[in-house]
Amino acid sequence: MSFCVDTFMQDVIAKNPGETEFHQAVREVAISLAPFLNENPKYVDAKIMERMVEPERVIEFRVPWVDDKGEIQINRGYRVQMNSAIGPYKGGLRFAPSVNLSVMKFLAFEQTFKNSLTTLPMGGGKGGSNFDPRGKSDNEVMRFCQAFMSELYKYIGDNIDIPAGDIGVGGREVGYLFGAYKKLKGEFAGVLTGKGLSFGGSLVRPEATGYGTIYFCEEMLKTKGESIEGKTVLASGYGNVGTYLIEKVAQLGGKVVTFGDEKGYVYDPDGITGEKLAFLKDLWVVHRRPAKDYADKFGVKWVEGRRPWEVPCDIACPTATQNELNGEDAKTLIKNGCMCVTEAANMPCTEEAYNVFKEAKILYSPGKASNAGGVSVSGLEMSQNSGHISWSAEQVDGMLKDIMKNIHEQCVRYGKEKDGYVNYVNGANVAGFVKVADAMIAQGIV
Ligand code: 2IT
C-alpha cells in the first residue's frame, strides 16, 4: 500500500463535510507526512493516518443558563477526545462565538501532535463552547461555567481527560470550572490545569505559552547565529499568550511594536517595555479592555480595521487565532525583510502564507511546535498535582526551556533538508507522528 494525499483528503472531506478548518489542519499534516509514510509503509499498512483523523470520541451537549436579566440562554458545548495513545486526553477549552465542531476538531488534531512533541505523556483533546465571555458579568461567567461542567464532568478525570484554558478561558473560568467539578464529583483532583496557585496551579503556567514561543524563537535564531536582542517584533493578540510573549521579548532586549484586536492594531515604534508593558499586562488579562486603550493612554498610533503584518519587522509572532495571517500578509512581511515567523497561536498562518515562507526559505515554525510551552507546563502541573508537591518558578521555567529546546531539536532532526534548510512544519509533523503512531501499533487495533 502507498499513501496518496489526494485520495486521503477526498475521503476526509467526504466524511467531514464543511469542516474547513479541520480539512486545512489535516491537509498540512498529510502533505508533510506523505514522503515519510511512503518510506515507512508499516504506518500506511496499519492505516495510522486514517485512524488519527477519526476522533476516539466527540461529546456535544446543550448548555442552558440564565443571564443577569433573567433570560434563558442556550449555548453548545463540545469535547473532542481525539487520541489517547500516549496519555490521557489533554488540551484546552475555547469559549468564543466562532467555536464550532470544525474548529474543535482541528484544534484537537493539532493538539495530538503538539502534545507528542512535548516529550510528556499526554494524548490530544480539545473542547469549548460558542459562549462569548466578553461583556458578561462575573456572575454570568460563573453560571455558564457551572452549566458547562454539569455535563462535561461525566467525561473527564485526572487520568481520563484534563482540560485547561484557551481563547476566552483564563484563570477566572478555570477556577469556576474546577469549583463546579469538585462539587459535582465530591473529589479534589487535578482534573484541570491552569488552576489558581492556592488550589493546585503551577507557577509559570500563565506565562508558559508566550515565554515558550520566544524560547523556541531563540533556538531558531541561534541556527543563523542571531538572537532576539535588538530585533523588532510584531505581535497580534494580547491575551494570555500575546502579553507574556511581549514581556519575554522585552526581557531579552527585543522590541515588540504592535498588538491589537479584531478592531485594529496599536503601533508603538519605541517598543512595549517598562511602564507600558505593566499597563499592557493588565489590559486584557485583568480588565478585559480593548487594545485601543493603550494607544489612547500613551499617545501612539492606532490603525483601525487593519492587521499588524504591514509594519516592517525582523520577526513576526501571530498570537491571536487561526488564519489571521494570509498569503498577501506573508508576501508583505517578506518584502519588508522579515526573517522569522514564529507561531504563538494555533494555525494562524493560512496554507498560502506557509507556502510563501517556505519558498522564501525564512525561519518559520508552526504553532504545534513553538506554542507547545503552554501545554508542557500543564503537563508539569499534572505531575505536581499527582505528587502533591509544587515546584519553584525557577524550576518550572528551567524545565520549560529544556522542553522547548528539545522540541526544536526534534524539528531539526526530522525537518532538515539536503541543502541545510530546516522545514519546521515537516519536522514537527513527522516527530509528533512517530511517537503516537508507534504507540498505536504497539497497542493493537483499538
Ligand atoms: O493550545 C494549547 O496548547 C492550549 N490551549 C493549552 C492546552 C493545555 O492543556 O494547557
Side-chain angles (χ1 to χ4, degrees):
M1 263 199 264
S2 68
F3 182 81
C4 168
V5 176
D6 287 343
T7 317
F8 173 75
M9 282 312 302
Q10 274 164 20
D11 193 47
V12 169
I13 291 166
K15 281 185 182 146
N16 304 279
E19 296 180 3
T20 51
E21 293 86 357
F22 182 55
H23 304 161
Q24 183 185 342
V26 172
R27 182 165 45 244
E28 179 217 278
V29 169
I31 292 170
S32 69
L33 284 180
F36 176 82
L37 292 174
N38 287 321
E39 277 161 30
N40 296 275
K42 68 173 177 179
Y43 299 122
V44 183
D45 295 342
K47 298 208 176 172
I48 299 296
M49 275 299 276
E50 289 81 350
R51 284 151 71 177
M52 284 182 75
V53 295
E54 205 62 47
E56 289 179 18
R57 192 172 299 101
V58 175
I59 301 139
E60 195 175 316
F61 50 100
R62 180 205 293 164
V63 189
W65 58 284
V66 180
D67 70 17
D68 285 349
K69 292 195 229 74
E71 194 180 320
I72 298 166
Q73 301 287 343
I74 297 101
N75 286 101
R76 190 173 291 175
Y78 301 91
R79 188 71 183 166
V80 177
Q81 297 182 330
M82 200 72 182
N83 194 301
S84 63
I86 63 167
Y89 311 108
K90 179 81 195 91
L93 297 171
R94 176 177 292 192
F95 291 170
S98 56
V99 163
N100 57 37
L101 187 59
S102 171
V103 169
M104 295 285 96
K105 282 169 69 177
F106 114 67
L107 288 165
F109 184 71
E110 293 271 296
Q111 198 80 44
T112 302
F113 289 79
K114 184 194 306 194
N115 292 4
S116 167
L117 287 168
T118 65
T119 70
L120 304 173
M122 300 182 288
K126 202 86 188 191
S129 173
N130 61 347
F131 173 76
D132 189 356
R134 286 178 300 185
K136 303 288 193 301
S137 71
D138 276 354
N139 273 327
E140 288 178 322
V141 170
M142 180 181 74
R143 285 197 299 276
F144 174 80
C145 287
Q146 291 173 343
F148 183 84
M149 190 52 89
S150 73
E151 182 64 23
L152 186 68
Y153 86 100
K154 300 171 190 164
Y155 307 101
I156 61 176
D158 54 357
N159 282 309
I160 302 167
D161 184 352
I162 306 92
D166 193 81
I167 294 171
V169 179
R172 173 181 65 167
E173 289 76 14
V174 169
Y176 292 148
L177 291 162
F178 181 80
Y181 179 89
K182 181 161 64 69
K183 172 131 184 164
L184 288 160
K185 279 288 249 231
E187 67 168 7
F188 192 108
V191 68
L192 286 147
T193 60
K195 299 184 291 297
L197 285 180
S198 58
F199 52 98
S202 175
L203 287 161
V204 194
R205 176 63 191 88
E207 296 88 347
T209 313
Y211 280 17
T213 303
I214 294 304
Y215 295 151
F216 192 92
C217 184
E218 278 278 55
E219 292 300 315
M220 292 169 87
L221 293 170
K222 250 194 236 166
T223 67
K224 304 272 177 208
E226 298 271 359
S227 76
I228 298 275
E229 202 181 342
K231 296 284 188 303
T232 297
V233 182
L234 308 182
S236 45
Y238 64 111
N240 234 329
V241 177
T243 297
Y244 293 108
L245 179 139
I246 294 170
E247 177 172 71
K248 185 50 76 179
V249 171
Q251 284 172 5
L252 295 174
K255 171 166 102 162
V256 177
V257 296
T258 62
F259 71 92
D261 54 26
E262 68 287 354
K263 300 220 167 62
Y265 72 89
V266 167
Y267 177 44
D268 184 350
D270 295 333
I272 302 158
T273 54
E275 181 209 350
K276 293 189 283 188
L277 178 61
F279 179 84
L280 174 73
K281 277 176 75 172
D282 282 352
L283 190 59
W284 177 256
V285 174
V286 178
H287 303 304
R288 291 163 211 275
R289 296 287 308 162
K292 190 170 177 296
D293 275 21
Y294 179 102
D296 294 343
K297 165 125 180 124
F298 297 110
V300 298
K301 195 163 157 192
W302 168 254
V303 186
E304 183 81 21
R306 299 187 67 85
R307 285 179 297 193
W309 317 124
E310 59 194 8
V311 174
C313 70
D314 303 304
I315 300 165
C317 296
T319 55
T321 193
Q322 65 267 12
N323 295 328
E324 58 166 311
L325 195 163
N326 65 26
E328 286 308 308
D329 298 325
K331 284 184 201 149
T332 307
L333 284 168
I334 300 292
K335 186 172 71 107
N336 287 337
C338 174
M339 61 168 305
C340 176
V341 177
T342 312
E343 290 186 352
N346 290 314
M347 206 171 75
C349 295
T350 64
E351 201 170 329
E352 292 74 31
Y354 164 48
N355 288 331
V356 171
F357 300 142
K358 194 165 58 171
E359 184 96 340
K361 298 210 165 188
I362 65 158
L363 296 170
Y364 166 66
S365 68
K368 73 188 79 165
S370 41
N371 78 25
V375 75
S376 297
V377 174
S378 277
L380 301 178
E381 184 171 329
M382 289 162 65
S383 303
Q384 293 170 79
N385 290 166
S386 63
H388 304 284
I389 46 167
S390 48
W391 295 327
S392 70
E394 290 70 31
Q395 280 174 299
V396 178
D397 194 40
M399 287 186 237
L400 170 62
K401 268 187 203 147
D402 287 345
I403 289 170
M404 298 317 295
K405 221 177 171 154
N406 187 306
I407 297 173
H408 184 267
E409 278 163 16
Q410 295 179 64
C411 290
V412 172
R413 182 173 345 127
Y414 287 103
K416 199 169 202 156
E417 296 180 352
K418 285 193 192 79
D419 63 358
Y421 171 70
V422 179
N423 184 315
Y424 287 87
V425 172
N426 290 348
N429 286 333
V430 175
F433 174 82
V434 168
K435 186 174 170 190
V436 175
D438 287 346
M440 288 174 72
I441 290 174
Q443 291 170 31
I445 320 285
V446 290

